[in-house]
């Protein structure tokens, strides 16, 4: 029987999703819990990796197991064994044909940053600080150019093993919220898949354009030439959250996250 | 010369505000930084204590020092020396008559909680989870009864040394926000002063009334009798944030926090 889990984690104290011989990973903690629940070693496959320090509200993963425990009860069984910074939000039965990696149709990432004079200790775990106030209109105009099917070679950290760097970004949106003493920025990017560091480079480029560090429309030359240097800096991991993964058939009820 | 600081901290890894012989405290870290900045031991006085695990966006403290460093520059001097979970947001010169403890006219605290089926790792550092969905109207009606001048004896953890338990709550407000997969509740309480654990008991009582654990208007009998047992449970510290402290004369510019 195949099961799928929707998982949330605080990435701060993890060396990322993917299991490692040394180092605390989300996949490692989930496999440890699963092996305890089922009494045999269980391999867990994620929709994709997240880097060290990156968070998730709605990572999806799957595994095969023989059990009489009802699928919906597995959530509690896992949560009793998991450390407090990882939680299973939903557990469901999935068809044998379900592939949580290749079957992922849309992924949504959210990048959060704030502009303030000082670092703000209550934000810094889940957001990056930007030292200049960006121009929202410029950021939004540049984000519109990023949406669509493009060769995102320039948005990829070196060392990527992806076969093709063509991806479709369904939407890239920027919001600004005035809070007491600081401005909060959210860059939400939805696409059919992302290259290594792609969302952090998209966010970094939008902030660079908004702050006048990179020229408006410079993303167009980056698409043409594939040159990483035409884009802004890669943003740090703590501002990034994998908000959700969608499949052809809805795996989780609409109210779930 | 007297200086005042507006300070923010993540209370998670502190044994509270007040300095202790053993244990990491906010006051202790600030005094350590101040002693380094000025080269002599400096005593720092806060507007009041916060408990272990309680956060602050706008704690205010003061100290006396002889220095040629401009007051506005002290912020950076402190921040270079402080650990990442405490930051000075503003540093200003204060009149010798300024008393940050007795001069505090209004304090605002915010209590944050969420209702969800599972613990949510990305919320649990700064919010408490409630296991039942509360009725917002009931919470708001009870909050209205709390506003005003009352004897808050029943809202005080045992062991308090306050001379009087009469306090004025200027406002007690409850907001509800529907997020993807959870409901977020904020209880904001503004008053002329608070007894030990008073805000956490106010929040706990409002959630208890909202969830039907305590009867509506039970706060009236608690005011009359002073009986702690008539009220809901004390909420855990991680949901509480000291949002700000106000004085007769505005110490910090209106945009600052």
């Amino acid at each position: 029987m195949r099961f799928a889990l929707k998982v949330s984690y605080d990435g701060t104290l993890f060396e990322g999703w993917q299991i490692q011989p040394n180092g605390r990973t989300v996949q490692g903690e989930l496999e440890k819990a699963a092996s305890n629940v089922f009494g045999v070693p269980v391999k867990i496959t994620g929709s994709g990796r997240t880097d060290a320090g990156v968070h998730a509200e709605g990572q999806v993963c799957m595994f095969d197991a023989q059990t009489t425990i009802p699928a919906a009860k597995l959530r509690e069984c896992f949560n009793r064994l998991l450390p407090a910074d990882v939680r299973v939000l939903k557990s469901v039965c999935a068809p044998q044909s379900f592939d949580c990696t290749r079957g992922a149709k849309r992924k949504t990432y959210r990048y959060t940053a704030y502009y303030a004079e000082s670092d703000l200790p209550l934000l810094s775990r889940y957001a990056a600080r930007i030292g200049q106030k960006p121009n929202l209109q410029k950021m939004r105009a540049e984000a519109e150019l990023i949406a669509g099917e493009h060769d995102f070679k320039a948005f990829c950290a070196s060392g990527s093993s992806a076969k093709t760097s063509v991806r479709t970004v369904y939407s890239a949106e920027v919001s600004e919220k005035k809070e007491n003493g600081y401005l909060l920025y959210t860059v939400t990017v939805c696409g059919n898949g992302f290259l290594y560091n792609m969302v952090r480079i998209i966010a970094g480029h939008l902030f660079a354009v908004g702050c006048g560090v990179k020229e408006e429309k410079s993303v167009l030359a980056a698409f043409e030439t594939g040159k990483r240097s035409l884009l802004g800096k890669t943003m740090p991991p703590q501002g990034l959250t994998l908000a959700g993964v969608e499949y052809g058939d809805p795996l989780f009820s609409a109210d779930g996250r």
Side-chain angles (χ1 to χ4, degrees), chain A:
Chain A
M1 285 160 77
R2 180 153 294 182
F3 298 94
L5 306 177
K6 180 174 272 189
V7 178
S8 177
Y9 46 88
D10 177 327
T12 311
L13 301 179
F14 286 106
E15 304 292 325
W17 166 267
Q18 196 178 33
I19 204 162
Q20 294 177 11
N22 304 308
R24 189 172 177 263
T25 66
V26 183
Q27 192 182 24
E29 294 294 333
L30 285 166
E31 291 194 357
K32 217 190 291 175
S35 303
N36 267 306
V37 170
F38 302 113
V40 291
V42 175
K43 191 177 166 345
I44 289 187
T45 307
S47 75
R49 307 172 194 178
T50 53
D51 283 340
V54 173
H55 316 287
E57 275 177 6
Q59 169 69 293
V60 175
C61 61
M62 65 176 191
F63 60 90
D64 292 327
Q66 291 303 326
T67 180
T68 54
I69 304 169
K73 286 279 172 203
L74 286 174
R75 174 173 72 85
E76 288 166 42
C77 297
F78 273 80
N79 287 343
R80 270 198 287 270
L81 297 165
L82 285 167
D85 50 358
V86 197
R87 276 293 172 274
V88 174
L89 305 185
K90 295 264 171 181
S91 52
V92 296
C93 211
Q96 202 61 41
S97 62
F98 174 67
D99 181 330
C100 76
T101 314
R102 293 185 187 177
K105 299 280 184 233
R106 299 161 68 95
K107 287 186 185 178
T108 303
Y109 279 94
R110 194 175 61 234
Y111 198 91
T112 309
Y114 65 98
Y115 166 68
E117 276 189 29
S118 308
D119 291 336
L120 299 177
L122 294 175
L123 294 183
S124 58
R125 196 175 175 95
Y126 304 115
R129 179 176 159 226
I130 47 176
Q132 230 181 305
K133 187 177 157 179
N135 178 306
L136 186 65
Q137 277 60 46
K138 284 189 186 178
M139 286 184 74
R140 285 183 167 159
E142 196 77 3
E144 274 186 31
L145 300 175
I146 287 171
E149 188 185 70
H150 302 288
D151 185 339
F152 282 93
K153 194 181 161 202
F155 287 81
C156 181
S158 58
S160 164
S161 59
K163 282 176 202 156
T164 165
S165 47
V166 174
R167 295 288 185 279
T168 300
V169 167
Y170 299 121
S171 63
E173 286 165 6
V174 187
S175 78
E176 182 188 70
K177 203 174 153 195
K178 195 171 161 44
E179 297 283 351
N180 185 14
Y182 65 95
L183 291 163
L184 194 71
Y185 293 91
T186 308
V187 175
T188 308
V189 187
C190 176
N192 65 351
F194 293 94
L195 301 165
Y196 183 54
N197 274 0
M198 180 169 151
V199 182
R200 286 161 60 185
I201 297 172
I202 288 177
H205 183 65
L206 296 181
F207 289 119
V209 168
C211 294
V213 173
K214 291 287 176 187
E215 273 183 41
E216 292 176 76
K217 300 190 186 176
S218 55
V219 68
L220 299 177
F223 284 144
E224 267 181 43
T225 63
K227 275 192 193 160
R228 173 70 187 85
S229 60
L230 293 170
L231 301 169
K233 288 186 185 164
T234 307
M235 294 295 283
Q238 76 272 17
L240 188 61
T241 300
L242 172 56
V245 187
E246 291 164 75
Y247 294 87
D249 289 312
L251 255 187
F252 303 98
S253 62
D255 74 316
R257 62 175 264 165

